[in-house]
Amino acid sequence: MKKLLLAFTSAFVLAMASGASAHKHAEAAITHDSGQVTYLGNTGLLASHGEIQVLFDPFFHNHYGQYQLVPKTFRQAMFNAEAPFDAVKMVLISHAHGDHFDASDVVKYMQMHDDVMLVAPTQAVEQMQLIAGFGVIQNRIKSIDLAYGDAPISHFFDGIEVNAVRIPHAGWPGRADVSNLVYRVTINNQATVMHMGDADPDDVHFKPWQSYWQSKRTDRAYPPYWFMLTPSGQDILTNRINATSATGVHVPVNVPTALKNSGARYFSKTGSSHAITNNQESEKP
């Protein structure tokens, strides 16, 4: 564990030296014992607790002219399993859009790391099936095929509990065909994070699953930033999903003024990090 923590520290020092210092709303890690989440770009996150790491939406290439890409140094370290990405046990994909997912990259990564599991919507897995070498990795893939309105599901892996529910992509009902998954992931039965992909901030999608949200407390939720800017989204974060705190992601490179003035927490600089279960936060210099 000491080696892992030292690796994280070294990685952040290098990131800061290259200009990736934390934004004032992106909190630094206070206690590594509480677990840690590091921002990679757009909705890409590295969550860790103990000797287990999970990645959310880490491989993509399309920034649509406005979103933060994962730095090349981070991508290289992920593929090579170099610190701080040297204990990854699972990759989770929220949905199969180009600013969240690249089929070729995911297949390549899974081929290189035969001890990693992948959890993804069937729509993403179907794209991967067209890539050479898919057959080698298919036994380590959990393909989730949920229709809108289907009950949340749970899967248990070694040290990782994954709960998933299909919440429509923002812009509902215009993108009703997109399988966007909201994941609630517990690592080591201690640290619980919620990754919301590009969820739509209308409570009509969340209200039917009240008992599901209440069944487990989420330490940290990571919604797309637009949840912070609408009354409905704010209410979902505060009163519906049973989360101790929330940090916005999917923030454009040019941070919207409304978000800056909202007082909400958000990630906007790669390499920013904070503890999962400790709310005594401070800013990185």
Side-chain angles (χ1 to χ4, degrees):
M1 184 61 187
K2 289 183 179 178
K3 292 183 179 179
L4 180 61
L5 298 182
L6 288 172
F8 265 105
T9 302
S10 298
F12 295 145
V13 170
L14 290 173
M16 290 174 66
S18 64
S21 59
H23 186 275
K24 66 179 181 179
H25 290 284
E27 311 89 343
I30 302 303
T31 58
H32 293 285
D33 292 341
S34 298
Q36 181 167 302
V37 168
T38 301
Y39 174 65
L40 307 180
N42 203 35
T43 65
L45 299 173
L46 169 68
S48 63
H49 189 279
E51 300 296 331
I52 297 177
Q53 299 173 336
V54 300
L55 289 166
F56 295 94
D57 288 357
F59 301 114
F60 61 94
H61 296 284
N62 200 332
H63 54 58
Y64 293 105
Q66 59 179 321
Y67 299 118
Q68 179 69 58
L69 292 176
V70 177
K72 291 182 179 179
T73 53
F74 282 17
R75 283 176 47 80
Q76 181 178 350
M78 282 190 282
F79 278 112
N80 294 335
E82 297 170 348
F85 306 99
D86 52 352
V88 175
K89 300 302 180 186
M90 179 177 290
V91 176
L92 299 102
I93 306 298
S94 64
H95 62 294
H97 277 172
D99 54 340
H100 297 261
F101 168 72
D102 181 86
S104 295
D105 272 6
V106 175
V107 170
K108 177 183 175 181
Y109 179 84
M110 293 294 292
Q111 288 175 327
M112 294 175 66
H113 304 288
D114 58 10
D115 57 344
V116 176
M117 292 289 300
L118 174 71
V119 181
T122 299
Q123 289 177 352
V125 176
E126 288 173 347
Q127 292 186 27
M128 294 169 59
Q129 290 173 341
L130 304 177
I131 307 299
F134 175 82
V136 177
I137 66 172
Q138 61 183 342
N139 291 336
R140 292 183 285 117
I141 296 174
K142 181 59 186 179
S143 179
I144 297 182
D145 190 14
L146 291 175
Y148 178 59
D150 282 352
I153 60 173
S154 298
H155 294 284
F156 297 87
F157 305 88
D158 186 17
I160 306 172
E161 176 185 348
V162 177
N163 300 281
V165 60
R166 179 168 174 169
I167 299 294
H169 192 288
W172 169 270
R175 292 181 169 179
D177 60 318
V178 178
S179 179
N180 181 78
L181 298 179
V182 170
Y183 293 110
R184 186 176 65 197
V185 176
T186 301
I187 307 173
N188 280 334
N189 200 34
Q190 296 183 58
T192 300
V193 297
M194 184 179 295
H195 187 277
M196 301 176 71
D198 281 3
D200 187 83
D202 189 329
D203 193 44
V204 68
H205 313 306
F206 292 82
K207 185 176 180 180
W209 312 120
Q210 178 66 9
S211 61
Y212 166 73
W213 307 120
Q214 294 302 313
S215 66
K216 173 170 285 193
R217 184 72 168 173
T218 291
D219 297 305
R220 291 269 192 178
Y222 298 91
Y225 77 95
W226 48 81
F227 273 71
M228 279 72 177
L229 301 182
T230 65
S232 176
Q234 294 167 2
D235 186 64
I236 290 168
L237 299 179
T238 303
N239 301 314
R240 180 66 71 193
I241 61 172
N242 193 21
T244 300
S245 64
T247 300
V249 293
H250 215 312
V251 177
V253 173
N254 294 319
V255 181
T257 300
L259 183 59
K260 291 180 180 179
N261 295 337
S262 69
R265 299 184 183 96
Y266 59 88
F267 277 140
S268 64
K269 296 295 184 181
T270 60
S272 303
S273 65
H274 57 206
I276 296 175
T277 60
N278 189 317
N279 286 320
Q280 293 180 332
E281 298 151 352
S282 69
E283 300 169 5
K284 292 182 71 174

